[in-house]
Amino acid sequence: MRDARPNGMNTPAEPSGPERNGTMDDGRASLCALARGVLETEDAKQKAAKARLVAARWLARDVSGIGASGAPDRPARPAKPDLLPPGKMPRRKIGKGPEGRIALLHAIAHIELNAIDLAFDIVARFASADLPTAFYDDWITVGDDEARHFQYLDRRLETLGAAYGDLPAHDGLWQAARETADDLMARLAIVPMVLEARGLDVTPAMIEKLEAAGDTESARLLTIIHDEEIGHVAAGRCWFEYLCAAERLPVRETWQRLVDERFRGGLKPPFNRASRSRAGLPADFYEAFDAHPGPR
């Protein structure tokens, strides 16, 4: 997590000429144009590869500036997988056979593909001269991590004789993005500080099941993903605190209010207190929601 303090940080200048669409032959396009190029890429492998190239360009400051904000209502996605409501998703147990492990890894790969779009959407949609350079550094780095995670899982599925898109998936993550598209503070409160934090809760049990099934390689990949997701939750917490400080709002009470107002699922134990604590989420933030069914 980079230093989020605005002192001494200058947002790069706006581009002086017309912006191109973010393809890799566009010279020095703006960051927002490049981020939109990721969001508008349909093929999953190409989206992940483009995300990593954009991250490398931004972190090398090989862009013309931040550029004008704006993002599509919905990112481009491949024709497969078929998207089902979360309650309609088939359940498979992890055993010695590959089917359950493939289903698990496919589900996580789908989450990581959504997470690429979420990271680049927060940059393109909410870009503002009021945000310091470190904000863009953090979320572009998150997007690079998510793209790398997708690539890990995509290759692992291929090793197991499967491919991303073979199984159905659900659209719950992007629903949360749509419902927070109007407000950066709400987006930070829900996506990293609720949804990604939930990943910290459930991933250790997945790792244990994979190890019990003898799939140490998949368990190793999920361990890497879990550990790096701690930093993503921390980035959300850091920038949420930054916005609260700018508006002189109490952090915990504001987060709890936004969760009440904007999150449908409710916060349910068990919680991974150790990983949440490493991400800067103390127990008094989320344990008050144990009895909450969702928005009231």
Side-chain angles (χ1 to χ4, degrees), residues 88-164:
K88 299 292 186 180
M89 288 292 296
R91 296 183 180 277
R92 294 179 174 89
K93 292 184 178 180
I94 297 175
K96 294 294 183 183
E99 294 82 6
R101 289 180 284 132
I102 288 170
L104 173 64
L105 296 175
H106 189 280
I108 301 171
H110 183 69
I111 290 170
E112 297 298 334
L113 187 69
N114 274 269
I116 297 170
D117 285 326
L118 287 165
F120 285 90
D121 182 84
I122 203 172
V123 168
R125 186 176 302 278
F126 297 108
S128 166
D130 295 332
L131 292 168
T133 304
F135 174 87
Y136 304 102
D137 286 347
D138 278 344
W139 293 110
I140 291 297
T141 300
V142 168
D144 187 44
D145 288 348
E146 307 293 18
R148 180 165 42 80
H149 296 168
F150 176 83
Q151 291 172 335
Y152 288 160
L153 296 166
D154 187 49
R155 288 194 292 265
R156 184 61 182 155
L157 285 169
E158 291 176 354
T159 300
L160 294 172
Y164 176 70

Side-chain angles (χ1 to χ4, degrees), residues 23-129:
T23 56
M24 289 301 104
D25 61 352
D26 57 359
R28 286 175 55 80
S30 74
L31 177 62
C32 285
L34 291 168
R36 282 190 289 274
V38 174
L39 294 167
E40 292 165 359
T41 299
E42 180 177 300
D43 181 83
K45 292 179 186 289
Q46 292 177 15
K47 184 186 290 284
K50 184 174 284 189
R52 302 212 66 194
L53 287 170
V54 170
R57 285 184 62 171
W58 167 252
L59 295 172
R61 298 302 188 254
D62 183 25
V63 300
S64 63
I66 298 298
S69 64
D73 290 339
R74 185 176 180 84
R77 292 285 172 78
K80 293 287 186 177
D82 295 327
L83 297 180
L84 303 178
K88 299 292 186 180
M89 288 292 296
R91 296 183 180 277
R92 294 179 174 89
K93 292 184 178 180
I94 297 175
K96 294 294 183 183
E99 294 82 6
R101 289 180 284 132
I102 288 170
L104 173 64
L105 296 175
H106 189 280
I108 301 171
H110 183 69
I111 290 170
E112 297 298 334
L113 187 69
N114 274 269
I116 297 170
D117 285 326
L118 287 165
F120 285 90
D121 182 84
I122 203 172
V123 168
R125 186 176 302 278
F126 297 108
S128 166

